[in-house]
């Protein structure tokens, strides 16, 4: 693993980029959710120039980036996962590192380790590839749990503790991990605790034949391996977008709706272990990011519904019978989303909480007057 | 609601269909009628035979052991056919059902085991009890092993007086009571099974949470919805007015046959509505967007929002009314905008 310059060596450009975010928050303009959404859409459009036909996956990863979480991309090799991650790094102007996880990878290969400096005669910490802004953890389920766990603290706390000292990671810090869904020999499936730390799980899927043909045609026309993407944002702007996310308002009824969905996963007969409270938080934040990406500063039930499966499916454990019958968590969640009642037409405050359509319009005038 | 239930119906038909096509339908129905007749005859004859004091026909049939055995056989056969068939059907029906509660699941499992058991156990028990009942009435006690062998069958055995207890009949009475109790328990088990089966099927057929149906007459519902939306529009609260407009649109859609479902988000309802070409897509989308803003944001809402909502509602209700209800009256209510307001407000105050 190559050494990565970090905070103690401020003359490198990467470190300056890394410091720009948290160090100068006042310089980044305060964005409204609409403005942040506009810039986020520009980033998405730029990335879609390189990643053809994966607009849904690109948008989902963007939501994860905006919501300040880590993304797990679960799919087969060769579907463009690395391209996706690298395009995000380029378009957002983030420092990018990639770790290829292998069965013999050690935790110190990820986090970095102290080494002996002969000139000074001291042990000096040499940061690992984790000290970056966007980390692509490729095939994370091919490494033993010990190395997987080395990522845990970094992902949850944004810091690394090595040799008794705790070091902050640069901000923003994003992990995009890929995992192979096929059970190979020599893979170590991610434990629930680690899965829970990913804000969302994305599946890429194969392109349709038409899109695949146009992807090949684009490659032939371009005559270069990959399109050159432009940097349309910056780490500071990304942090400002995240700050704008906090100004997306959430109605009380929608909070209850999220809670109802999360509770439904805990009480369903087909689910052994339901979603954690962290799952509810993730769902709300992702839904807010979706609202922002669509240029709204308020949440709607559609946002919650659209993100329920990406935010919760990897957090639930199905009963063994379903596992045998190859029913996917996504399908179970889709069924829950289709059965849990959405917020009613009339807000509770208006007094129409008991029935939705039929007494709604009749009660409404009374409440309005 | 219908389209919810539809996929289930064909599946049942599909499951039954191979049976029908495999055997000749005529033979099958004939067999069914024969089974019913056998069961009925068995029940009637056995009921008479099992009465020690002469049976339904007044003749002392029960005294002839061969005939009694035949009746019991009939009864057993009838029971086996009836309950056995029901048990098989029950198992086939509930095998793939997921119960609403774990309790129902356990009850289903128990019923699936008990029903076939009852189908076999009852005939066996009947034979056991039948032998005892046969020896019972004639011998006072077990002390006399074969009391009837040397006696010729008595043609005119007077039935015992009601008040006078005969030692043998007390034993047979006990057996009858036991048998009756057993029968009652089994009947209750069968009834519970049937009820459970029906409930499971109802639960499966019911769509997630059906919302109350719209008012009976389409025109009335439509006119009422528009009038209500307008009354809200004349109120001071712009937010409530926009929300009420959307609620009126929902009611109009429900009245025109688009079912409302509790898990639907506004956009999902909109998408389903757009599939219906009676719904004006532009205005439906506009009203939905206005509603979402009014309902889920704290943005200040003003007169421009209300007027946009009013325009959209007018256009929607007008088109719906035109296409749903040809009679002229609701069309004038919906389309004649200011008139409707005046009338509604006038009627209201």
């Amino acid at each position: 693993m190559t050494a990565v310059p970090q905070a103690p060596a401020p003359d490198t450009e990467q470190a300056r980029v890394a410091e720009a975010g948290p160090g100068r928050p006042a310089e980044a303009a305060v964005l409204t959710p609409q403005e942040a959404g506009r810039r986020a859409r520009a980033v998405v459009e730029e990335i879609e120039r390189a990643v053809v036909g994966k607009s849904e996956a690109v948008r989902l990863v963007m939501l994860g980036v905006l919501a300040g979480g880590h993304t797990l991309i679960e799919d087969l090799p060769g579907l463009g996962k690395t391209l996706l991650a690298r395009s995000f790094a380029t378009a957002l102007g983030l420092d990018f590192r990639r770790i290829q996880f292998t069965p013999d990878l050690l935790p110190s290969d990820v986090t970095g380790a102290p080494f002996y400096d002969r000139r000074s005669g001291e042990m000096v910490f040499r940061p690992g590839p984790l000290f970056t802004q966007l980390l692509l953890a490729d095939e994370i389920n091919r490494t033993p749990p010990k190395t997987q766990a080395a990522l845990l603290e970094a992902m949850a706390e944004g810091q690394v503790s090595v040799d008794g000292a705790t070091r902050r990671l640069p901000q923003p810090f994003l992990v995009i991990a890929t995992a192979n869904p096929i059970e190979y020999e020599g893979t170590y499936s991610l434990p629930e605790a680690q899965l829970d730390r990913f804000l969302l799980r994305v599946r890429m899927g194969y392109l349709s034949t038409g899109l695949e043909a146009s992807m090949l045609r684009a490659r032939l026309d371009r005559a270069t391996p990959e399109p050159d993407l432009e940097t349309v944002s910056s780490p500071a702007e990304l942090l400002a977008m995240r700050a704008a996310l906090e100004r997306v308002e959430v109605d009380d009824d929608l909070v209850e709706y999220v809670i109802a969905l999360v509770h439904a996963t805990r009480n369903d007969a087909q689910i052994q272990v339901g979603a954690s409270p962290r799952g509810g938080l993730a769902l709300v934040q992702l839904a807010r990011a979706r609202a922002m990406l669509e240029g709204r500063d308020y949440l709607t039930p559609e946002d919650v519904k659209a993100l329920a499966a990406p935010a919760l499916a990897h957090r639930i454990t199905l009963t063994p019978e379903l596992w045998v019958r190859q029913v996917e968590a996504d399908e179970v969640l889709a069924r829950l989303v289709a059965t849990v009642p959405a917020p009613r037409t009339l807000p509770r405050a208006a007094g129409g909480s008991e029935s939705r359509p039929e007494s709604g319009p009749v009660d409404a005038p009374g409440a309005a007057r | 609601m219908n389209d919810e239930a539809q996929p289930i119906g064909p599946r049942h038909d599909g499951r039954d269909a191979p049976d029908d096509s495999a055997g000749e339908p005529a033979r099958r129905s004939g067999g069914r009628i024969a089974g019913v007749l056998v069961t009925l005859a068995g029940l009637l004859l056995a009921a008479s035979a099992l009465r020690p004091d002469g049976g339904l026909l007044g003749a002392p049939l029960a005294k002839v052991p061969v005939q009694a055995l035949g009746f019991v056989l009939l009864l057993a056969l009838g029971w086996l056919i009836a309950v056995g068939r029901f048990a098989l059907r029950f198992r086939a029906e509930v095998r793939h059902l997921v119960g609403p509660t774990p309790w129902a699941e356990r009850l289903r499992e128990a019923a699936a085991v008990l029903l076939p058991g009852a189908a076999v156990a009852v005939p066996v028990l009947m034979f056991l009890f039948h032998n005892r009942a046969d020896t019972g009435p004639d011998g006072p006690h077990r002390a006399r092993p074969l009391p009837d062998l040397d006696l010729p069958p008595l043609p005119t055995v007077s039935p015992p007086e009601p008040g006078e207890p005969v030692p043998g009949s007390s034993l047979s009475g006990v057996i009858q009571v036991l048998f009756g109790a057993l029968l009652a328990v089994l009947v209750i088990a069968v009834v519970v099974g049937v009820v459970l089966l029906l409930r499971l099927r109802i639960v499966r057929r019911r769509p997630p949470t059906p919302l109350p149906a719209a008012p009976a007459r389409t025109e009335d519902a439509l006119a009422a919805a528009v009038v209500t939306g307008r009354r809200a529009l004349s109120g001071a609260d712009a937010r409530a007015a926009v929300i009420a407009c959307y609620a009126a649109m929902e009611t109009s859609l429900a009245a025109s046959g688009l079912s409302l479902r509790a898990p639907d988000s506004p956009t999902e309802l909109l998408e389903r509505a757009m599939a219906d070409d009676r719904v004006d897509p532009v205005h439906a989308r506009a009203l939905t967007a206005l509603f979402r803003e009014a309902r889920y944001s704290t943005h200040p809402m003003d007169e421009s929002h209300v007027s946009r909502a009013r325009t959209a509602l007018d256009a929607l209700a007008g088109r719906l009314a035109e296409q749903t209800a040809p009679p002229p009256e609701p069309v004038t209510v919906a389309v004649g905008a200011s008139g409707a307001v005046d009338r509604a407000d006038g009627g209201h105050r």
Side-chain angles (χ1 to χ4, degrees):
Chain A
M1 295 296 151
T2 54
V4 181
Q6 50 112 36
D11 52 335
T12 65
E13 188 175 332
Q14 283 160 352
R16 262 188 280 118
V17 169
E19 280 200 333
R24 300 175 299 166
E27 287 181 26
V30 175
L31 298 176
T32 64
Q34 285 87 353
E35 178 65 14
R38 201 178 56 74
R39 298 194 187 184
R41 283 197 297 278
V43 172
V44 170
E45 280 165 21
E46 183 66 20
I47 292 168
E48 283 181 343
R49 278 182 48 219
V51 186
V52 180
K54 292 286 168 58
S55 125
E56 186 60 32
V58 171
R59 274 174 56 90
L60 280 175
V61 175
M62 189 68 204
L63 297 184
V65 170
L66 288 175
H70 311 292
T71 307
L72 177 67
I73 305 181
E74 199 178 82
D75 231 318
L76 300 167
L79 287 170
K81 300 186 287 271
T82 311
L83 175 67
L84 182 77
R86 201 142 26 82
S87 304
F88 265 96
T90 311
L92 287 168
L94 299 177
D95 181 25
F96 176 72
R97 290 270 175 275
R98 168 183 173 155
I99 307 177
Q100 181 68 47
F101 280 78
T102 53
D104 58 349
L105 197 73
L106 294 174
S108 58
D109 295 335
V110 176
T111 58
F115 76 108
Y116 180 67
D117 185 352
R118 291 176 67 179
R119 279 175 299 176
S120 64
E122 286 176 355
M123 297 294 281
V124 178
F125 178 72
R126 187 156 117 174
L130 202 56
F131 286 83
T132 184
Q133 288 174 324
L134 199 160
L135 176 75
L136 173 64
D138 216 357
E139 297 195 76
I140 192 174
N141 56 347
R142 294 199 62 187
T143 200
K146 192 165 82 172
T147 312
Q148 289 173 358
L151 265 180
L152 278 179
E153 186 191 6
M155 286 170 60
E157 318 289 341
Q159 63 185 27
V160 171
S161 299
V162 178
D163 217 18
T166 300
R167 292 171 175 81
R168 297 290 306 167
L169 292 171
Q171 285 294 319
F173 174 67
L174 289 171
V175 175
I176 296 181
T178 70
N180 202 312
I182 297 176
E183 294 261 335
Y184 280 127
E185 277 187 42
T187 58
Y188 305 85
S189 59
L190 288 170
E192 285 84 357
Q194 177 114 20
L195 279 176
D196 207 28
R197 276 169 171 76
F198 285 102
L199 193 69
L200 78 165
R201 181 179 64 183
V202 180
R203 297 225 159 110
M204 307 266 296
Y206 286 107
L207 290 173
S208 65
T209 49
L211 279 173
E212 196 159 356
S214 68
M215 187 265 290
L216 286 183
R217 177 48 58 194
R219 166 70 185 83
L220 294 173
D221 293 346
R222 189 169 63 231
T224 53
E226 277 174 25
D228 284 333
L229 290 187
E230 284 176 22
T231 300
V232 293
S233 184
S234 67
E237 192 176 89
L238 175 57
L239 292 173
M241 285 193 247
R242 286 184 180 177
L245 181 76
E246 299 303 322
R247 286 189 283 280
V248 175
E249 56 180 316
V250 181
D251 192 80
D252 285 347
D253 288 350
L254 285 170
V255 174
E256 285 181 23
Y257 181 46
V258 169
I259 295 300
L261 275 175
V262 172
H263 266 262
T265 66
R266 292 174 197 160
N267 297 326
D268 193 81
Q270 294 187 321
I271 299 177
Q272 203 165 29
V273 182
S276 58
R278 197 181 352 219
L281 276 173
L283 180 52
V284 168
Q285 286 303 89
L286 284 169
R288 288 170 102 187
R290 182 179 184 266
M292 196 168 86
L293 197 60
E294 293 195 346
R296 280 181 278 119
D297 64 351
Y298 54 92
L299 201 65
T300 63
E302 288 84 358
D303 299 324
V304 178
K305 287 191 155 205
L307 271 309
L312 300 181
H314 61 291
R315 296 171 204 268
I316 63 176
T317 308
L318 298 179
T319 51
E321 306 94 87
L322 295 194
W323 188 71
V324 171
R325 277 158 55 187
Q326 298 207 322
V327 175
E328 297 271 349
D330 287 340
E331 297 167 30
V332 177
L333 262 168
R335 177 174 58 75
L336 288 180
V337 168
T339 48
V340 173
R344 296 166 192 282
T345 302
L346 296 183
R348 272 157 209 276
S353 60
E354 286 312 311
S355 61
R356 191 161 114 165
E358 115 280 21
S359 73
V362 182
D363 291 350
R369 280 182 182 193
Chain B
M1 201 177 289
N2 284 338
D3 42 323
E4 290 285 315
Q6 263 174 359
I8 287 145
R11 243 182 45 182
H12 283 289
D13 298 348
R15 199 185 297 146
D16 287 343
D19 282 355
D20 284 334
S21 58
E24 302 88 342
R27 205 191 72 182
R28 201 180 141 83
S29 66
R32 184 175 297 171
I33 291 168
V36 170
L37 284 179
V38 166
T39 312
L40 268 180
L43 279 170
L44 279 175
L45 285 172
S48 69
L50 290 172
R51 277 186 59 175
D53 52 348
L56 291 177
L57 307 174
L61 289 168
K63 292 301 137 195
V64 189
V66 177
Q67 277 185 354
L69 189 67
F71 295 139
V72 173
L73 247 173
L74 266 180
L75 184 55
L77 203 66
W79 175 273
L80 195 67
I81 290 171
V83 179
R85 268 187 67 86
F86 175 72
L88 286 178
R89 269 199 76 163
F90 181 81
R91 283 175 74 99
E93 286 279 355
V94 301
R95 187 175 301 141
H96 303 290
L97 290 183
V98 178
T101 59
W103 186 83
E105 291 271 335
R106 259 173 266 142
L107 204 57
R108 185 197 71 178
E109 295 295 331
V113 173
L114 280 179
L115 275 174
V120 176
V122 168
V124 171
L125 286 175
M126 275 168 59
F127 279 115
L128 284 178
F129 282 116
H130 157 73
N131 284 337
R132 291 203 185 176
D134 245 14
T135 56
D138 297 316
H141 288 292
R142 274 185 211 168
R144 280 179 57 187
L146 292 168
D148 282 345
L149 271 184
D150 38 0
L151 289 177
L154 300 174
T156 53
V157 173
S158 60
E161 303 300 318
E164 179 190 84
V166 180
S169 77
S170 80
L171 181 60
S172 95
V174 167
I175 287 170
Q176 276 183 7
V177 165
L178 273 178
F179 185 71
L182 186 70
L183 210 63
V185 166
L186 286 167
V187 164
I188 289 171
V190 169
V191 167
V192 165
V194 169
V195 168
L196 191 68
L197 181 67
L198 288 177
R199 267 190 57 185
L200 279 170
R201 293 180 68 170
I202 287 169
V203 162
R204 193 171 57 161
R205 279 182 190 203
R206 196 162 46 200
T209 356
L211 287 160
R217 284 187 61 207
T218 307
E219 310 90 90
D220 291 353
L222 204 55
V226 173
V227 166
T228 320
R230 297 188 164 288
R231 248 187 307 181
L233 281 172
S234 62
D237 187 349
R239 185 181 306 279
V242 172
I243 293 176
C245 264
Y246 178 80
M249 180 182 91
E250 270 190 348
T251 314
S252 318
L253 291 177
S256 66
L258 186 85
S259 63
L260 305 178
R261 297 190 297 226
D264 269 356
S265 67
T267 307
E268 282 165 336
L269 178 70
L270 179 69
E271 276 165 8
R272 289 198 293 130
M274 305 269 250
D276 190 338
D277 51 353
R278 290 174 300 174
V279 176
D280 181 356
V282 177
H283 289 105
R285 199 176 283 136
L287 188 51
T288 304
L290 276 168
F291 160 73
R292 293 202 307 177
E293 189 173 354
R295 172 74 172 80
Y296 295 111
S297 80
T298 52
H299 296 176
M301 307 289 283
D302 57 17
E303 196 50 43
S304 71
H305 292 100
V306 179
S307 67
R308 269 151 61 200
R310 178 180 312 170
T311 316
L313 180 64
D314 275 348
L316 275 170
R319 183 153 162 187
L320 264 180
E322 269 173 34
Q323 314 235 348
T324 315
E329 190 196 1
V331 176
T332 53
V333 170
V335 172
S338 57
V341 173
D342 293 339
R343 255 184 300 175
D345 285 351
H348 185 62
R349 279 162 195 164

